[in-house]
Amino acid sequence: MENNQTPKKRIFSGIQPTGNLTLGNYIGALRNFKLLENEYDCLYSIVDLHAITVRQNPAELRKACLRTMAIFLASGLDPEKNIIYFQSQAPQHAELGWILDCFTYMGELSRMTQFKDKSAKHADNINCGLFAYPTLMAADILLYMTDLVPIGADQKQHLELARDLAQRFNAIYGDVFVVPEPYIPKVGARVMSLQEPTRKMSKSDPEDTYIAILDKPEIIRKKMRRAVTDSDNMVRFDPENHAGISNLMSIMSALTGKTMDEITNEYDGRGYGVFKDAVADAVISVLEPIQKEYDRISADKAYLESVMVDGRERAQSIAYRTMLKVRKKVGLAPMKL
Ligand code: AMP
Ligand code: TRP
């Protein structure tokens, strides 16, 4: 840690190790994380405990956790400047999650739209963990005295609960938790589905709707060519009426820094085939180096292991201090690290 006058603000974000991380995750999250690493004190947690709220294949889950960590590193995040770790390896998450459960009302959790969506999707397994997902997320955030939480719009309701719980706890026990604020990145295009461009590109949707960070160039070209656009071949930015082409333009702009006008001037009238190939080229030129780095890092098991151990130790030492305070306030006996 640097010896600044004012301590750096702390950022915490969690990402689920399920499915393939997408171009949307890269443009909307990972790329921005890299830009924050000098200005803020950042923790990025691979939230494996959240992942098991829906049934997972154990071998797959283990692989997915490591893959997610390797992608974080491959996209340039420095594991010394940032704490990158698996949520379940800091057991204080589960511990604080339980304590916060005891301060959360059934009504609050029943109102969560993600719970409603997920229970509709997994009607045969509406478990208590799925219900309490938002309190575990609140625990993630509050454990580290987090100032800022980078999140997408779908997570706003959960962050609101984390704020309510922090305030509720503080009102009873005095100032214990920092009340976190959402962090909206300065640049952060919302990448939409290639097949249904009015919906966000999501790793839990079918394969042809997203570009995975690890997709090979031929696949990227193929998916891009099949992306839904209009039939008039005009390249103009109008997300309301022409969501498909506008999405491809946003991707192009996010990756090359070109403005929408520049893109229109360069590609309008040349046919969507030409433009789609150009967008595919832009995506490939950004993802290829990340994939090379990913291959190198994934082959180096000892390195990955060392990042994992270092991350969990640093995370635990912060979480431990918070729990000492929380346990004392609530009336629980102290624990040794
Ligand atoms: P998720 O994949 O929903 O777990 O989201 C992980 C992070 O990636 C969050 O910060 C999201 O806001 C961001 N993200 C996910 N999908 C997109 C997208 N299609 N466009 C932009 N950002 C996204
Ligand atoms: N629920 C978040 C999502 O689905 C992931 C998450 C878990 C998270 N814990 C968090 C995000 C804490 C921010 C802060 O995207």
Side-chain angles (χ1 to χ4, degrees):
M1 197 180 290
E2 281 163 46
N3 214 359
N4 286 344
Q5 294 294 58
T6 44
K8 289 179 181 175
K9 289 203 164 176
R10 179 159 288 152
I11 284 192
F12 182 99
S13 197
I15 193 149
Q16 291 209 50
T18 45
N20 298 310
L21 288 183
T22 70
L23 183 65
N25 294 126
Y26 178 73
I27 291 176
L30 289 175
R31 189 174 70 153
N32 295 319
F33 292 172
K34 175 74 191 157
L35 302 175
L36 302 173
E37 69 184 12
N38 292 320
E39 200 178 331
Y40 297 95
D41 195 6
C42 304
L43 289 108
Y44 298 113
S45 185
I46 295 159
V47 292
D48 46 3
L49 294 175
H50 279 113
I52 62 169
T53 56
V54 301
R55 204 63 73 229
Q56 302 288 341
N57 171 309
E60 283 298 315
L61 178 61
R62 231 181 321 269
K63 267 194 237 153
C65 286
L66 284 171
R67 187 168 63 221
T68 307
M69 179 171 271
I71 292 178
F72 273 37
L73 298 170
S75 51
L77 277 187
D78 181 339
E80 287 183 10
K81 291 185 181 160
N82 305 281
I83 302 181
I84 303 172
Y85 73 105
F86 297 141
Q87 178 191 35
S88 68
Q89 291 197 319
Q92 295 88 351
H93 288 258
E95 188 185 354
L96 183 58
W98 174 258
I99 293 175
L100 294 180
D101 279 341
C102 302
F103 291 83
T104 310
Y105 304 113
M106 301 285 285
E108 285 176 304
L109 293 179
S110 314
R111 279 197 291 278
M112 294 290 162
T113 55
Q114 185 174 296
F115 173 68
K116 291 186 208 163
D117 291 350
K118 284 201 179 173
S119 6
K121 230 171 162 177
H122 303 275
D124 55 339
N125 183 19
I126 306 177
N127 61 68
C128 296
L130 195 62
F131 191 61
Y133 182 113
T135 50
L136 179 60
M137 176 163 162
D140 297 343
I141 297 166
L142 302 185
L143 258 184
Y144 298 94
M145 303 297 168
T146 302
D147 298 292
L148 299 168
V149 186
I151 37 158
D154 59 327
Q155 296 298 317
K156 272 209 170 135
Q157 202 183 16
H158 290 167
L159 184 67
E160 215 31 67
L161 178 76
R163 291 170 52 84
D164 288 346
L165 290 176
Q167 280 159 345
R168 189 171 304 160
F169 199 93
N170 288 351
I172 303 172
Y173 299 106
D175 273 345
V176 177
F177 293 125
V178 171
V179 181
E181 303 277 344
Y183 178 82
I184 314 295
K186 288 182 201 106
V187 278
R190 210 163 122 83
V191 182
M192 311 307 280
S193 158
L194 298 180
Q195 294 302 320
E196 263 184 85
T198 49
R199 287 169 49 124
K200 171 178 118 156
M201 178 181 283
S202 165
K203 55 187 155 63
S204 44
D205 285 343
E207 283 252 0
D208 61 338
T209 65
Y210 65 79
I211 288 174
I213 294 179
L214 298 180
D215 273 346
K216 291 293 166 216
E218 329 65 272
I219 304 283
I220 295 174
R221 287 212 175 82
K222 211 192 292 172
K223 286 182 176 172
M224 223 20 119
R225 282 195 196 123
R226 289 190 190 150
V228 167
T229 41
D230 311 297
S231 47
D232 63 6
N233 273 323
M234 280 168 73
V235 176
R236 46 107 154 87
F237 190 69
D238 178 3
E240 296 243 321
N241 303 307
H242 302 281
I245 187 66
S246 301
N247 183 36
L248 300 188
M249 291 177 77
S250 309
I251 295 174
M252 187 70 154
S253 169
L255 296 179
T256 61
K258 287 180 188 166
T259 64
M260 297 306 171
D261 283 346
E262 285 167 346
I263 296 171
T264 297
N265 288 339
E266 195 171 341
Y267 294 100
D268 198 29
R270 292 172 63 192
Y272 282 155
V274 172
F275 182 57
K276 286 175 168 180
D277 282 345
V279 181
D281 286 340
V283 173
I284 292 164
S285 69
V286 169
L287 294 187
E288 239 180 356
I290 297 176
Q291 295 174 1
K292 286 217 175 80
E293 192 55 8
Y294 171 84
D295 289 341
R296 191 185 67 76
I297 292 169
S298 324
D300 192 348
K301 295 280 182 280
Y303 174 65
L304 267 181
E305 173 79 17
S306 73
V307 173
M308 187 172 94
V309 171
D310 180 63
R312 93 176 164 224
E313 281 173 1
R314 287 159 68 202
Q316 277 192 29
S317 90
I318 304 171
Y320 172 72
R321 274 178 271 147
T322 304
M323 286 316 295
L324 266 187
K325 226 194 256 180
V326 170
R327 294 177 71 102
K328 190 168 172 193
K329 294 285 187 187
V330 178
L332 303 172
M335 277 283 291
K336 275 258 179 296
L337 188 60

